[in-house]
Amino acid sequence: MPFITRNPILRETAHTLAPTTLLYALYVQFHGDYGPGGGFQAGVIFSVGLILYALTYGLERAQAVLSRRTAEVLSAFGVLLYALTGVAAMLRGAAFLDYSALAQQPLSGQHIGIMAIELGVGVTIVGVVMLIFYLLTDTGEAG
Amino acid sequence: MSGQLLGCALLTLSAVAAVIIARTDNLFSAALLAGMSSLLVAALFLSLDAPDVAFTEAAVGAGVSTIFFLTTIAATGRQYAYAPSRRVPGLVLAAATGWLLFYSMLDFPWLGDASLALHDHVARYYIEHSAAEVGPPNVVTSVLASYRGLDTLGEVCVIFAAGVGVMIVLGRFGHSGRAGQSSRRGEE
């Protein structure tokens, strides 16, 4: 394993930065309506936090947090959540992805819809980025 | 004026990084310079008042893609076998593309010209109606998530497809192809 570092400075820095990065990703995810960011950026930042954890403590411990199988499921689940939000609007009599129909008030419907689809985007990004990272590091071990 | 100076400085540094990337045969420094170049472009986007795009560029270009490059280098090796025979056609191609881009730039409107047709069509509508129709103070979010929700769904599908593609190509090698290996062992 070339990735587990013994350097105490790197270890401590990553030890502090990894959970902060994950927390920041959640902030970006749920604050996208008010500031810059959204599901896409949040998903990438969350994955970076997990990758930092993997680079410091090794792949095994990272895969105990988020296994390859979970990453596969998450990448598909996000797309499904997004599309089902659109279908939910259709079931309530509006057009596909017209969130105004999701609640009594059109604006709260929009808010719910945007939250749901941003979550779908973020979940897919985390799944895909972690999947690609696991696949790339896996071939590395063999060579 | 200071904005223009900053833009020139960032673009010049980015171009210097690109030239070094093209000339070096050390893939490790090329990957780090590509990340640095992305960060410079992200700063440029920020100076153009596009924080959402800058955020994405910094997270994807400087962060994740650099990590992907480095993990690939860790798996394959740091040195790049130079192919000098490709250099002259490449130079001609790069010069021609550069000339074409410069030539089309002569027709460009001034940056931030409010009288452009581009800013008079849907952009004006989104800015004026977003607060009443969608709600979020960040108009970028309401355009991406609500007005253009279908486009964003397509984008997420593309990312999912990219993940599936990488899984198909890389999943066959290394230990992750456990299922494939065990089935092969089963056949033996």
Side-chain angles (χ1 to χ4, degrees), chain A residues 24 32-35 37 40-41 44-45 48 68 75-76 82 96-97 99 107 110 114 117 121 125 135-138 140, chain B residues 52 55-56 59-60 64 67-68 71 75 132-134 136-138 141 145-146 149-150 152-153 156 159-160 163 167 170 176:
Chain A
Y24 182 60
D33 297 16
Y34 300 95
F40 190 86
Q41 292 90 338
V44 172
I45 293 169
V48 167
R68 207 187 124 187
S75 62
Y82 198 134
F96 185 61
L97 289 172
Y99 319 125
L107 277 186
Q110 289 283 346
I114 289 174
I117 68 118
V121 174
I125 302 286
L135 287 166
L136 284 176
T137 45
D138 222 10
Chain B
D52 279 270
F55 208 161
T56 315
V60 178
V64 166
I67 292 170
F68 285 168
T71 22
E133 286 181 356
V134 185
N138 183 359
T141 300
S146 187
L150 198 62
T152 309
L153 176 61
V156 177
I159 290 161
F160 176 59
M167 196 159 69
L170 287 183
S176 54

Side-chain angles (χ1 to χ4, degrees), chain B residues 18-33:
Chain B
V19 170
I20 299 175
I21 292 168
R23 296 203 57 86
T24 185
D25 58 350
N26 185 338
L27 292 174
F28 186 74
S29 52
L32 288 185
L33 279 169

